[in-house]
Amino acid sequence: MAGDWQTACDTYKRARTASELDSKTDPETEPYRSKYRARELLREMRALLGPLAEEESGESQAGTQGEDEDEEQRLLAARLAVIEFLLGVNHTETDEMSAGEEHLVKTVRMVERYRLSPDCVSVYMQAQNNLGILWAERGELIIAQTYLESAESLYGLYMKKIGTPPVDPDEHFSPEEQKLTEQERSKRFEKVFTHTFYYLAQVYKHLKQDEKAAQYCHTTLQRQLEYDGYNPVEWAINAATLSQYYLVKQCYMEARHCLAAANVIFSKAGPNPSPEAAKENEAEEERLDLLTEKKANIARCWVKYCLNLLQDARKKLEDNIGELDVDLQDELKAERRKEEDEKEKGRKKTVLFGSNDIYDSILAAEEKVDCSLPLDFKEAREVFLVGQNYINEAKEYFQLDGHVTDHVEVVRDHSALFKALVFFEEDYERRCKMHKRRIDMLEPVCKELNPQYYLLVCRQLQFELADTYYEMMDLKVAIGNKLEEMDSHTIKKINILSQSAIKYYEMFLDSLRNPDKKFPEKLEEDVLRPAMVAKFHIARLYGKLITSDANKQLENMQKSLNYYSFIVDYCENHEEAVKSVELELELTKEMVALLPARMERLRLQLSSFS
């Protein structure tokens, strides 16, 4: 029997080597060659150990034996369960899901009654984890959830009742001198439980249980750091992704903590290979490209953080005409001074990442940007500058040549940062300069893209450019109105800005036309409001054009009336459109009623001079 046992241990070692090491170098023509060899070796082991009778596997005798349970029987069940488990994993890795499920279910059944023993708990939990993954991949999320929550409950029960670090499955076929220390056993078992949390986070996410998914994801990340079981790049990306959930919930402290941790852990991925070395080595080139891409993705998450912080601050501070409410600003500043201590107390309730040395680095990274809503221009500018720094980092990878959609989104985020900062700026001339920066970054990209291939992206850019010119026009009108008499330079500037806004709104509207250049009788839901707003703004812009030529003025008024009339007529014929332009429709109807009379007065003036 000793000879058979030694053979079984040697066979196990060969099977693990074939599955985990040799399989990495299998040829493309035989991608599973080593996996199939491992499978045969596992079957040989099972034959060597002998079959375990079904009635002895625990179904009929569950719970009938106590502490005097036969140790040999339990060990045999554990060893056979390990083989069944590995066969289950093997079949799922070779895309034979039904066979994999069969082996995994058999694993669970074999050690069901021994699941709370140190010999069996780990393999039992791992089998449940894998069954959870298998059913999740089939889209059967409730079944997956049941298996994974069962594994979670078992961990809690085992730690409460037994508590000692359990035997790792590999140890069942290791010589005595290679048995693991208590510390290593604990680390491996905790890693199994971390996997349970990780898979549950995915399942809850797909079940739209977002809060629960975030909690499990956060705890998974913390456990990976605690038990040193993670890939730095993957960990950093997962932490950065989690930050975006916290942003939606306006939990800026947690979002910043995740992003700061992502920066710190990403830096542990090792030095980047130099571009020269990367060119000479294909594997190094791939690694450099991957690291640069992931770093850029984390930078984009930081950009969203800064942008959301500024935009949420605006929502909180603006009055009913969209300007800064100074009284509210003073009130919020006073409130914040009182809340500083409470904020620190709140921090202690948050799950913080890392051990002391890692946490110190994370804290240092956090201190570079605030997590409170900025309440004035100085604070807003500090957030803006952090965001702009990460914009530049993201642009290094997401360049227009090769990453069109991503590049455009980064540029639009940069524009949005300027737009958010404008709200805090009191000086109208400086506001105009910030909007001009937006135009300077958006226009070249818009001109570069072919609408035939990037229609949606072009529409977004056209509309944003039109809106930016429109805002600049409004600012120049406000500046001009403060003068005793508007000078020719200001008039010229207002007209140029108005015409530029009209040009881009028209480009956007033209993109909605069919191949015969005909404007749709019924607008699609996703472009309904933008199209109506474009029509409304063009109507208003024609009314803002300043000219001393009365005939030209009459022509502009007629164009204005045409656009206003389109909106009224469209809403009369399509009732569902009314809701999308509720704010604009009332003013539009007023203008449709007033403009004809104004135009008639102008015509009478013209005829009296002729």
Side-chain angles (χ1 to χ4, degrees):
M1 183 67 190
D4 284 350
W5 176 241
Q6 187 56 52
T7 304
C9 292
D10 292 342
T11 307
Y12 181 84
K13 191 175 179 181
R14 284 161 52 211
R16 295 292 270 167
T17 302
S19 183
E20 293 178 13
L21 299 177
D22 299 347
S23 61
K24 291 177 183 176
T25 55
D26 281 345
E28 286 184 20
T29 50
E30 295 180 89
Y32 297 138
R33 186 171 69 186
S34 297
K35 296 286 183 188
Y36 291 145
R37 187 165 73 249
R39 185 185 299 176
E40 290 308 312
L41 290 167
L42 288 168
R43 285 173 176 165
E44 284 178 28
M45 283 188 69
R46 189 170 58 183
L48 277 169
L49 291 175
L52 187 66
E54 194 68 37
E55 64 272 11
E56 289 182 353
S57 70
E59 284 191 333
S60 60
Q61 296 182 28
T64 59
Q65 297 181 15
E67 291 179 12
D68 60 342
E69 181 177 37
D70 181 69
E71 186 181 345
E72 197 172 312
Q73 183 182 330
R74 190 182 69 249
L75 276 175
L76 182 56
R79 289 164 180 169
L80 282 165
V82 171
I83 296 168
E84 286 298 332
F85 169 70
L86 292 176
L87 282 167
V89 172
N90 182 285
H91 279 282
T92 56
E93 286 175 342
T94 56
D95 297 326
E96 299 164 64
M97 297 301 172
S98 294
E101 180 196 354
E102 196 178 314
H103 285 291
L104 291 170
V105 168
K106 195 173 179 182
T107 305
V108 170
R109 196 170 62 235
M110 278 179 162
V111 288
E112 178 73 38
R113 71 173 179 179
Y114 308 127
R115 66 187 183 280
L116 281 175
S117 78
D119 289 321
C120 302
V121 65
S122 184
V123 70
Y124 187 92
M125 276 180 64
Q126 288 186 56
Q128 289 196 310
N129 280 352
N130 279 265
L131 282 164
I133 300 164
L134 188 147
W135 282 102
E137 287 175 354
R138 288 173 173 171
E140 298 285 352
L141 298 172
I142 300 300
I143 299 175
Q145 180 186 1
T146 303
Y147 274 115
L148 293 167
E149 286 181 348
S150 175
E152 181 187 17
S153 297
L154 177 60
Y155 171 87
L157 192 61
Y158 179 83
M159 294 306 285
K160 185 180 177 182
K161 287 195 171 184
I162 313 299
T164 56
V167 175
D168 186 75
D170 281 343
E171 287 189 274
H172 286 295
F173 300 99
S174 302
E176 197 61 40
E177 64 273 13
Q178 289 180 17
K179 297 291 184 187
L180 301 175
T181 61
E182 294 278 289
Q183 188 179 7
E184 184 59 31
R185 279 182 174 180
S186 177
K187 189 174 171 181
R188 292 199 187 187
F189 186 52
E190 294 298 342
K191 192 174 179 181
V192 172
F193 187 50
T194 301
H195 284 153
T196 308
F197 259 71
Y198 175 80
Y199 302 133
L200 271 170
Q202 311 307 309
V203 167
Y204 290 138
K205 184 180 177 184
H206 286 105
L207 287 170
K208 310 294 183 196
Q209 297 180 30
D210 293 341
E211 190 172 345
K212 214 166 184 181
Q215 288 171 356
Y216 275 73
C217 183
H218 202 126
T219 306
T220 299
L221 291 167
Q222 171 54 26
R223 289 180 61 82
Q224 286 173 337
L225 288 181
E226 192 178 342
Y227 297 105
D228 197 27
Y230 63 95
N231 172 302
V233 176
E234 283 178 19
W235 194 99
I237 288 293
N238 286 333
T241 304
L242 179 60
S243 76
Q244 304 304 286
Y245 164 80
Y246 287 128
L247 279 189
V248 173
K249 296 291 182 184
Q250 296 184 319
C251 299
Y252 286 105
M253 188 190 295
E254 290 83 352
R256 183 184 66 171
H257 187 65
C258 287
L259 287 166
N263 281 8
V264 170
I265 300 301
F266 187 87
S267 68
K268 295 181 179 294
N272 287 2
S274 68
E276 295 76 23
K279 282 177 186 174
E280 294 173 13
N281 185 315
E282 192 176 332
E284 284 294 278
E285 188 173 9
E286 281 181 16
R287 181 169 171 264
L288 177 61
D289 188 63
L290 176 73
L291 288 173
T292 312
E293 180 188 1
K294 300 300 184 188
K295 190 180 180 188
N297 278 322
I298 294 169
R300 287 176 75 178
C301 290
W302 270 110
V303 171
K304 296 294 184 189
Y305 172 86
C306 295
L307 188 52
N308 275 263
L309 202 61
L310 290 169
Q311 289 173 339
D312 283 346
R314 173 178 182 158
K315 286 175 194 169
K316 191 148 192 170
L317 287 164
E318 66 185 352
D319 58 20
N320 57 1
I321 57 165
E323 289 295 325
L324 181 66
D325 186 327
V326 180
D327 291 336
L328 179 60
Q329 182 186 41
D330 291 340
E331 190 183 309
L332 290 172
K333 281 187 175 182
E335 266 180 38
R336 191 168 67 185
R337 281 192 290 272
K338 289 178 190 174
E339 287 171 2
E340 286 300 317
D341 292 339
E342 290 301 315
K343 189 177 82 171
E344 280 306 309
K345 287 176 188 172
R347 163 179 282 287
K348 293 179 177 68
K349 295 174 191 171
T350 309
V351 178
L352 300 175
F353 291 129
S355 52
N356 289 339
D357 56 330
I358 291 176
Y359 179 64
D360 288 344
S361 302
I362 294 170
L363 191 62
E366 283 183 326
E367 286 171 353
K368 292 176 183 175
V369 61
D370 209 333
C371 63
S372 301
L373 295 180
L375 298 178
D376 56 33
F377 182 80
K378 182 176 177 292
E379 292 175 1
R381 186 173 178 274
E382 286 173 5
V383 176
F384 168 85
L385 290 173
V386 172
Q388 186 168 249
N389 183 49
Y390 282 111
I391 285 281
N392 295 332
E393 200 172 288
K395 276 186 188 172
E396 284 179 27
Y397 182 80
F398 294 112
Q399 296 180 13
L400 191 58
D401 183 17
H403 300 279
V404 175
T405 309
D406 289 303
H407 178 81
V408 172
E409 192 180 329
V410 172
V411 171
R412 290 188 68 213
D413 280 344
H414 197 182
S415 168
L417 279 170
F418 270 105
K419 185 179 180 179
L421 184 62
V422 163
F423 172 77
F424 294 90
E425 176 55 70
E426 293 176 13
D427 185 276
Y428 281 10
E429 288 290 359
R430 287 182 65 185
R431 281 191 178 191
C432 281
K433 286 176 182 173
M434 284 190 235
H435 283 309
K436 182 66 169 66
R437 288 286 303 274
R438 295 174 64 202
I439 285 162
D440 290 344
M441 66 179 72
L442 293 168
E443 254 181 349
V445 180
C446 190
K447 288 173 182 172
E448 188 80 22
L449 296 180
N450 185 338
Q452 189 179 343
Y453 302 110
Y454 297 103
L455 180 60
L456 181 60
V457 173
C458 285
R459 281 178 180 170
Q460 290 169 338
L461 289 169
Q462 288 158 1
F463 198 91
E464 188 169 347
L465 278 162
D467 265 3
T468 309
Y469 275 118
Y470 184 87
E471 287 184 52
M472 285 182 75
M473 178 278 299
D474 263 348
L475 286 166
K476 284 295 179 186
V477 168
I479 292 167
N481 288 339
K482 289 179 181 177
L483 303 171
E484 283 185 23
E485 190 178 337
M486 214 179 277
D487 57 73
S488 59
H489 175 75
T490 304
I491 290 169
K492 186 181 177 184
K493 196 70 184 171
I494 289 168
N495 286 343
I496 289 171
L497 292 169
S498 297
Q499 286 157 354
S500 296
I502 289 169
K503 179 183 85 170
Y504 279 109
Y505 280 130
E506 291 287 17
M507 284 172 71
F508 169 76
L509 291 168
D510 285 344
S511 77
L512 304 177
R513 296 179 185 275
N514 66 20
D516 298 327
K517 306 298 178 188
K518 190 179 176 186
F519 199 76
E521 289 182 18
K522 191 174 190 309
L523 291 158
E524 296 291 329
E525 193 179 338
D526 61 327
V527 294
L528 175 58
R529 174 156 176 81
M532 293 304 228
V533 168
K535 294 272 187 184
F536 177 79
H537 282 175
I538 293 172
R540 187 167 178 266
L541 286 158
Y542 274 116
K544 291 289 181 182
L545 289 169
I546 302 168
T547 177
S548 55
D549 182 340
N551 283 309
K552 189 67 183 171
Q553 189 181 350
L554 193 60
E555 186 186 319
N556 289 339
M557 289 170 82
Q558 183 60 56
K559 286 179 178 176
S560 190
L561 179 59
N562 291 344
Y563 279 95
Y564 281 131
S565 298
F566 174 91
I567 298 167
V568 173
D569 293 344
Y570 190 91
C571 288
E572 282 178 0
N573 295 323
H574 305 87
E575 284 184 26
E576 71 280 2
V578 174
K579 213 169 188 178
S580 69
V581 280
E582 247 172 334
L583 294 172
E584 294 82 4
L585 191 56
E586 192 177 336
L587 180 57
T588 300
K589 285 178 178 177
E590 280 179 29
M591 295 307 291
V592 168
L594 291 170
L595 273 173
R598 288 182 188 173
M599 291 164 70
E600 189 55 37
R601 281 197 298 273
L602 189 56
R603 283 193 194 97
L604 287 170
Q605 286 174 17
L606 281 168
S607 61
S608 67
F609 287 116
S610 57

